[in-house]
């Protein structure tokens, strides 16, 4: 009930390509879906978040797509750059409990020049 | 640079040692957290402190002992650890327990 499933585990994309990472959740009470970005040697940092009242949120090259009926959400990175190479974690929780998150297992993204 | 500072960055300890991890936040937040990050596994929430009171303890073995002397500092005291405790230990803080998390850069712990 509390799991968040993330795929793929690793992803290699060419510079300029689109990176897509998918997550699925089980708990229908979840209403807050953030993505975290983690560079080697650093802690995770909040990248972008979405609430289920919208189906898409875009910030620069990063877009979250949300499908409430399927209980799935995904991160799209447009025009991927080598500097985007990092581990990406999706998470889910209640907006009123923004710190109480269930995290996915992470996706290691490599963007080749 | 992160507003959450963790020391040391790396720690190697034997199974009979006693050591402590330190976390300090400079963000004026009221909640602090310890997470364990192991390879290819989701982040595991270990402890939550709000206004220096422990509000959550997620079935963590007693060989891990947290301490929060004030809202800016958090410690994780370690004793008689096992090799499977080797991981990256992340500290985080938030304005309150309902607000988004700000992570430190972690302490890479190796238990030999």
């Amino acid at each position: 009930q509390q799991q968040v499933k993330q795929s793929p585990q690793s992803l290699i994309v060419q510079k300029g390509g689109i990176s897509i990472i998918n997550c699925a959740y089980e708990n229908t009470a979840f209403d807050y879906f953030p993505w975290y970005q983690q560079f080697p040697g650093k802690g995770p940092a909040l990248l972008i978040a979405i609430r289920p009242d919208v189906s898409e949120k875009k910030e620069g090259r990063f877009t979250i797509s949300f499908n409430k009926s399927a209980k799935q959400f995904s991160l799209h990175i447009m025009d991927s750059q080598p500097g985007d190479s990092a581990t990406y974690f999706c998470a889910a929780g209640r907006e009123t409990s923004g710190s109480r998150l269930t995290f996915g297992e992470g996706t290691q993204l490599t963007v080749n020049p | 640079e992160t507003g959450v500072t963790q020391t040391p960055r790396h720690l190697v300890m034997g199974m009979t040692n006693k050591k402590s991890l330190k976390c300090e936040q400079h963000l004026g937040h009221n909640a602090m957290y310890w997470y364990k990050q192991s390879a290819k596994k989701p982040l595991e929430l270990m402890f939550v402190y709000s206004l220096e009171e422990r509000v959550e303890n997620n079935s963590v073995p007693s060989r891990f002992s947290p301490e929060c002397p004030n809202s800016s500092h958090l410690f994780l005291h370690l004793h008689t650890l096992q090799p499977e405790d080797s991981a990256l230990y992340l500290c985080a803080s938030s304005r309150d327990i309902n607000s988004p998390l700000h992570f430190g850069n972690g302490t890479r712990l190796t238990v030999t």
Side-chain angles (χ1 to χ4, degrees), chain B residues 26-45:
Chain B
H26 314 276
L27 302 170
H29 289 169
N30 290 320
M32 296 189 77
Y33 312 78
W34 282 114
Y35 278 86
K36 177 182 180 182
Q37 185 176 29
S38 304
K40 297 184 172 58
K41 292 177 70 175
L43 272 69
E44 299 174 48
L45 178 61

Side-chain angles (χ1 to χ4, degrees), chain A residues 26-70:
Chain A
E26 298 175 354
N27 188 337
T28 55
F30 287 156
D31 60 3
Y32 175 65
F33 304 91
W35 286 87
Y36 283 81
Q37 180 188 54
Q38 185 177 25
F39 292 106
K42 301 292 186 180
L46 180 62
L47 182 64
I48 186 173
I50 196 169
R51 293 168 178 81
D53 53 336
V54 296
S55 60
E56 186 176 283
K57 182 174 181 179
K58 184 176 182 179
E59 289 185 3
R61 296 184 293 108
F62 299 90
T63 300
I64 301 178
S65 297
F66 182 78
N67 186 330
K68 188 174 182 178
S69 61

Side-chain angles (χ1 to χ4, degrees), chain A residues 38 41 43 89 96 98-100, chain B residues 9 33 37 42 56 97-98 104-105:
Chain A
Q38 185 177 25
F89 293 92
T96 53
S99 66
R100 308 287 183 76
Chain B
R9 292 300 310 276
Y33 312 78
Q37 185 176 29
E56 196 160 329
I97 60 171
N98 298 323
N105 290 332

Side-chain angles (χ1 to χ4, degrees), chain B:
Chain B
E1 192 58 48
T2 178
V4 180
T5 303
Q6 290 187 243
T7 54
R9 292 300 310 276
H10 301 272
L11 178 63
V12 179
M13 60 186 289
M15 291 168 61
T16 58
N17 291 160
K18 289 184 180 181
K19 296 286 185 183
S20 296
L21 310 185
K22 179 183 176 182
C23 177
E24 183 175 1
Q25 59 96 0
H26 314 276
L27 302 170
H29 289 169
N30 290 320
M32 296 189 77
Y33 312 78
W34 282 114
Y35 278 86
K36 177 182 180 182
Q37 185 176 29
S38 304
K40 297 184 172 58
K41 292 177 70 175
L43 272 69
E44 299 174 48
L45 178 61
M46 300 175 71
F47 301 104
V48 180
Y49 277 83
S50 176
L51 297 171
E52 301 142 47
E53 297 275 337
R54 191 189 310 180
V55 297
E56 196 160 329
N57 176 349
N58 284 348
S59 303
V60 180
S62 60
R63 57 186 185 269
F64 296 91
S65 175
E67 178 189 1
C68 187
N70 55 62
S71 60
S72 297
H73 293 86
L74 185 65
F75 295 90
L76 188 62
H77 303 300
L78 316 171
H79 63 97
T80 59
L81 294 192
Q82 305 299 310
E84 59 264 29
D85 297 323
S86 298
L88 181 69
Y89 288 84
L90 290 162
C91 174
S93 70
S94 62
R95 189 177 63 211
D96 53 54
I97 60 171
N98 298 323
S99 296
L101 299 167
H102 296 255
F103 285 92
N105 290 332
T107 293
R108 174 68 62 185
L109 174 67
T110 303
V111 181
T112 61

